[in-house]
Amino acid sequence: MKFVEEFRNEELAKSLVKRLQEFSRLNINIMEVCGTYTMSIFRYGIRDILPKNINLISGPGCPVCVTPQSYIDKALELASRKDVIITTFGDMMRVPGKKGSLLKKKADGADVRIVYSPMDAIKIAENNPNKKVIFLSVGFETTTPMTAITAIEAKKRNVNNLLFLTAHKIVPPAMEALVQDKELKLDGFLLPGHVSAIIGTKPYEFLSEKHNIPAVVTGFEPTDILQGINTLINMIYKKEHRRTNEYKRIVRTDGNAVAIEYLDKVFDVVDTRWRGIGLIPNSGYIFNKKFEEFDALNHFQMEYEEYDGSPGCKCGEILKGKITPLQCPLFKKACTPENPIGSCMVSSEGSCAAFYRYHSV
Amino acid sequence: MCLAIPGKVIEINESKAAIEVGNVKREVFIQLVPDVKLGDYVLVHAGCAIQIVDEEEALKTLDILKELAEDEIC
């Protein structure tokens, strides 16, 4: 595949690994805030080839993982209604709520359908005029513009039985919350590549300007990640605090202006709750006044409750990078991909799922 | 969840395009990339093209990586 294979070149990767092995003096903590990086780093064995002093921490980079359990419980409550069809991305199906998962609900007879895009939910709504079709709209800035387009399209077509249960997250404020956590000693960030494709690199200015932390946005192939780490470590050694873009084939400084316009047109920015982290100011999107007719919570007069995790699950500390999954007493015992207790084990991009699949103990 | 892959645009029809990823053809929405042209590569996420791949920048990045590898050999 073009723009993929070239960035998997073995010789280029070897040269980058050799360069990285020269950095062995300082203990360095790098956080990546993107589940797709987490998976790529494990898949290509990047943790194993880095010098031991470079510690890669997986941050809250997986939208499914950071969605509070109270959201899942609302989705399950709605799925129980006879007049509702739930539509969702596949990754949400197995996330455990207090009483089962969407997969269990479906097995019990609820109408829960997996879709590839929120636009598919419009078709389902048009074909089922007597039902309320609810799309579970979970995601970061990468995914949310498509929900905006879907809501605009539904309004245009007068589809009045389509609703969205939203848990849209905005990534930079969560990063700022982590930087301010004194227990975490972060030396640099690998910025989320595809979130940055939408928002650009300016929203991370606070890292260098307020907190003196360098950051690199990079791609997802092995040479991209190795080069990203290489650039970041060079900056850490030289005590430089810049933002660098190593993913220029996709990420522009100002992001995707059209996508940002769609977000501004349809959503308001609000404080929102992140699993394991709690309420973070200005870190979420909800429908604005013009589009609030699409909000499932408004429609059914419901509210999210203030809890976010499963009892005993250490997802919160794992998402903040304070412990690795190996330090959670449930990992590989009570909590496995077949029987997940926390969302980090459910999503294929969650830290626990990645450690389970790739890390031999 | 933010997984996205590059595909080549082979047909454009108003707000939709057909793209080719390897040997697989699929339909994607292109509202977020209004300037897209036939033959461009777009990055696709959740059924939607979110950015046009900048071929020139891709080649520049590869050149930098190759230079780093050559420095190593010398």
Side-chain angles (χ1 to χ4, degrees), chain A residues 47-345:
Chain A
R47 270 171 195 269
D48 300 328
I49 52 175
L50 291 180
K52 295 283 170 259
N53 60 313
I54 299 174
N55 181 28
L56 292 182
I57 301 168
S58 298
C62 153
V64 173
C65 304
V66 301
T67 300
Q69 196 183 36
S70 50
Y71 175 92
I72 307 297
D73 289 334
K74 285 292 165 230
L76 293 172
E77 196 181 323
L78 289 169
S80 304
R81 296 176 62 107
K82 293 279 173 239
D83 59 343
V84 159
I85 299 173
I86 296 284
T87 55
T88 177
F89 292 132
D91 357 16
M92 294 297 288
M93 291 296 283
R94 293 169 55 247
V95 181
K98 278 187 175 166
K99 290 178 193 158
S101 62
L102 287 165
L103 194 65
K104 167 95 176 26
K105 275 277 171 215
K106 189 175 167 68
D108 292 344
D111 197 342
V112 181
R113 305 183 191 184
I114 294 176
V115 292
Y116 173 60
S117 156
M119 283 293 226
D120 298 338
I122 293 192
K123 268 188 239 155
I124 296 173
E126 285 176 329
N127 293 337
N128 295 276
N130 300 323
K131 296 276 180 103
K132 296 287 175 197
V133 174
I134 303 175
F135 177 68
L136 303 186
S137 197
V138 167
F140 291 162
E141 294 94 321
T142 325
T143 317
T144 311
M146 200 57 215
T147 292
I149 290 172
T150 307
I152 291 169
E153 184 66 20
K155 218 177 179 52
K156 205 167 98 188
R157 292 200 217 167
N158 287 321
V159 179
N160 54 18
N161 60 331
L162 177 65
L163 298 162
F164 298 82
L165 186 67
T166 66
H168 304 132
K169 300 280 188 274
I170 303 176
V171 174
M175 292 171 65
E176 183 144 35
L178 291 177
V179 167
Q180 285 164 350
D181 188 325
K182 297 286 174 233
E183 273 182 57
L184 282 173
K185 293 185 176 66
L186 299 176
D187 300 297
F189 275 103
L190 282 182
L191 300 171
H194 293 151
V195 165
S196 307
I198 302 294
I199 66 173
T201 56
K202 282 186 185 163
Y204 310 105
E205 259 173 9
F206 68 92
L207 286 173
S208 48
E209 291 181 6
K210 271 170 73 183
H211 303 287
N212 296 335
I213 294 184
V216 174
V217 59
T218 192
F220 297 89
E221 299 308 329
T223 59
D224 288 318
I225 293 174
L226 289 168
Q227 173 63 359
I229 295 172
N230 204 3
T231 306
L232 197 50
I233 291 177
N234 262 303
M235 285 199 278
I236 294 166
Y237 264 70
K238 291 179 187 163
K239 296 192 171 15
E240 292 174 352
H241 312 124
R242 288 178 289 117
R243 273 163 300 138
T244 306
N245 182 1
E246 299 283 356
Y247 197 29
K248 287 187 180 154
R249 63 186 186 274
I250 296 297
V251 176
R252 330 282 189 248
T253 308
D254 295 321
N256 181 332
V258 177
I260 294 170
E261 216 172 285
Y262 274 111
L263 290 173
D264 292 344
K265 200 168 173 180
V266 174
F267 298 111
D268 282 338
V269 173
V270 291
D271 302 348
T272 195
R273 185 167 281 280
W274 292 57
R275 188 183 182 113
I277 304 179
L279 195 70
I280 303 178
N282 301 319
S283 69
Y285 285 117
I286 59 163
F287 284 112
N288 63 23
K289 276 265 172 251
K290 265 178 107 177
F291 288 87
E292 66 186 3
E293 72 211 64
F294 291 105
D295 192 314
L297 285 183
N298 268 358
H299 183 88
F300 292 103
Q301 299 195 320
M302 296 167 113
E303 271 182 21
Y304 294 134
E305 283 153 51
E306 292 189 2
Y307 60 92
D308 51 41
S310 325
C313 168
K314 302 271 185 205
C315 271
E317 284 162 75
I318 292 167
L319 287 167
K320 284 191 268 190
K322 290 189 176 174
I323 62 168
T324 73
L326 304 176
Q327 291 160 278
C328 173
L330 304 181
F331 180 71
K332 272 195 173 178
K333 296 183 181 90
C335 185
T336 63
E338 291 73 34
N339 181 27
I341 293 191
S343 50
C344 299
M345 185 59 95

Side-chain angles (χ1 to χ4, degrees), chain B residues 3-54:
Chain B
L3 185 69
I5 45 163
K8 186 178 182 179
V9 176
I10 53 171
E11 281 168 38
I12 296 177
N13 186 6
E14 293 178 10
S15 61
K16 288 180 188 172
I19 61 152
E20 217 172 41
V21 181
N23 293 320
V24 179
K25 185 179 162 184
R26 69 172 319 150
E27 197 177 65
V28 299
F29 291 98
I30 53 170
Q31 290 95 330
L32 300 182
V33 288
D35 299 333
V36 74
K37 301 185 296 296
L38 282 179
D40 281 347
Y41 277 75
V42 287
L43 191 71
V44 178
H45 166 74
C48 181
I50 60 168
Q51 192 55 280
I52 300 169
V53 180
D54 187 328

